[in-house]
Amino acid sequence: MERNTIQRDIVMTVLKKLNNHATADEIYAAVRHEHPAISRSTVYRNLQWFCDKGQLRKREIPGQADVYDQICTNHYHVRCSRCGRIFDVDMDYIPALEQAIKDPHGFRFTGHDIIFTGVCPDCQSRDEPL
Amino acid sequence: MERNTIQRDIVMTVLKKLNNHATADEIYAAVRHEHPAISRSTVYRNLQWFCDKGQLRKREIPGQADVYDQICTNHYHVRCSRCGRIFDVDMDYIPALEQAIKDPHGFRFTGHDIIFTGVCPDCQSRDEPL
DNA sequence: GTGAGTGCAAATCTTTTGCATGTTT
DNA sequence: AAACATGCAAAAGATTTGCACTCAC
């Protein structure tokens, strides 16, 4: 039987207040604000728990910390190459993308992810151009 | 001025003999076979060096160790969800994919990666079906 | 009371780095 | 000899895990 713990509650409450695509560390920092004694593992375990329940989706980001996405449906992401933050891309999901593969070489394809690279508006105005 | 060290040589020689998309650890193990005293850092540093020279490309894989790709041009990859290995996908690169984005929201897009998920032929025959 | 959940510390895994030493040019 | 590269050990960053304890049911 699953239990309602204060910690679990706070993780979800904080999550809703934070920007989407927060890292475990950002979530931990924010949760700590309301419950300083909480353990980092508890945050990780609860994030995993929400993922298992389908209320959250962990997006593994190449080369950096994973982020937690409150939108659980398939969609694409951009990573800002300056600040590393992750944003949603305003683009239709392409379920048929697997059909563009010429020869599957015996593979059974089950899905795909697209990660765009770019520079976010904040970083464009803040940084030296390039 | 760049130098020819035995270690650098062995890393490249071994790389050519290994399957493409080997991890640093696999490369290290293979290199060690020919030069047991080599340091893990030296392998990492040389792999990075070849990447800097454009002779190799590091592909950062979500949730697992990076792999080194001898094909430096843009192309897409599949990860086998059973064994975690990375393979090339036989599909044309889509340079125009950024144009499918409806509203860039001020982002400047510079590129993209696609990672497919699937089950490789080896794992299909070896494992229980699903 | 029982077991799911917590806190802590330690472990894991991958990669990087500081520094003294060695080697190539 | 000077610059570059190596080896080692330690550090770093992200996440997981073992274990004893606690608290929600």
Side-chain angles (χ1 to χ4, degrees):
Chain A
M1 191 50 50
E2 74 195 40
R3 295 184 189 179
N4 290 332
T5 62
I6 320 153
Q7 291 90 336
R8 185 112 88 209
D9 248 36
I10 296 179
V11 169
M12 187 42 89
T13 308
V14 156
L15 216 33
K16 282 180 187 152
K17 277 188 271 186
L18 281 178
N19 293 328
N20 201 5
H21 309 116
T23 62
D25 200 62
E26 288 162 353
I27 298 163
Y28 174 60
V31 165
R32 239 185 164 184
H33 217 253
E34 311 210 357
H35 190 303
I38 202 171
S39 159
R40 192 175 229 106
S41 345
T42 298
V43 174
Y44 271 102
R45 275 188 284 233
N46 278 317
L47 290 170
Q48 189 55 57
W49 188 89
F50 287 120
C51 289
D52 293 345
K53 297 288 170 194
Q55 294 181 245
L56 207 55
R57 193 150 159 189
K58 185 198 277 189
R59 309 275 179 190
E60 297 184 320
I61 308 298
Q64 54 189 72
D66 303 341
V67 299
Y68 292 87
D69 194 336
Q70 284 155 267
I71 301 171
C72 298
T73 54
N74 288 327
H75 60 277
Y76 304 133
H77 297 93
V78 211
R79 168 177 51 187
C80 173
S81 52
R82 298 260 174 86
C83 65
R85 286 185 298 169
I86 304 296
F87 301 85
D88 287 332
V89 172
D90 186 4
M91 171 175 162
D92 290 330
Y93 184 74
I94 311 169
L97 193 63
E98 279 80 2
Q99 282 151 41
I101 295 163
K102 293 173 182 170
D103 181 349
H105 287 102
F107 245 90
R108 185 149 33 76
F109 286 87
T110 55
H112 69 269
D113 271 303
I114 304 183
I115 301 191
F116 288 90
T117 305
V119 183
C120 75
D122 287 0
C123 287
Q124 284 176 49
S125 49
R126 190 185 314 117
D127 293 353
E128 70 288 346
L130 166 101
Chain B
M1 192 47 50
E2 74 196 38
R3 297 184 187 178
N4 290 331
T5 61
I6 319 155
Q7 290 90 337
R8 186 112 88 208
D9 248 37
I10 296 178
V11 169
M12 186 42 88
T13 308
V14 156
L15 217 33
K16 284 181 183 151
K17 277 188 270 184
L18 281 178
N19 293 328
N20 201 6
H21 308 116
T23 62
D25 199 61
E26 288 162 354
I27 298 163
Y28 173 59
V31 165
R32 239 187 163 183
H33 217 253
E34 312 209 354
H35 191 302
I38 201 170
S39 158
R40 194 176 227 106
S41 344
T42 298
V43 173
Y44 271 101
R45 275 188 284 233
N46 279 317
L47 290 170
Q48 190 54 58
W49 187 89
F50 287 121
C51 290
D52 292 345
K53 297 288 169 192
Q55 294 181 244
L56 207 56
R57 194 150 158 187
K58 185 199 275 190
R59 309 276 180 191
E60 297 184 320
I61 308 300
Q64 54 188 73
D66 303 341
V67 300
Y68 292 87
D69 193 338
Q70 285 155 266
I71 301 171
C72 298
T73 54
N74 287 327
H75 60 277
Y76 305 132
H77 296 95
V78 210
R79 168 176 52 187
C80 174
S81 53
R82 298 261 174 86
C83 64
R85 285 184 297 168
I86 304 297
F87 302 84
D88 287 331
V89 171
D90 186 3
M91 171 173 163
D92 291 329
Y93 184 74
I94 310 169
L97 192 63
E98 279 80 3
Q99 283 151 39
I101 295 163
K102 292 173 185 168
D103 181 350
H105 288 101
F107 246 90
R108 186 149 32 76
F109 286 87
T110 56
H112 69 270
D113 270 304
I114 304 181
I115 300 192
F116 289 91
T117 305
V119 184
C120 75
D122 287 0
C123 287
Q124 283 177 48
S125 49
R126 191 186 313 116
D127 293 354
E128 69 287 346
L130 166 106

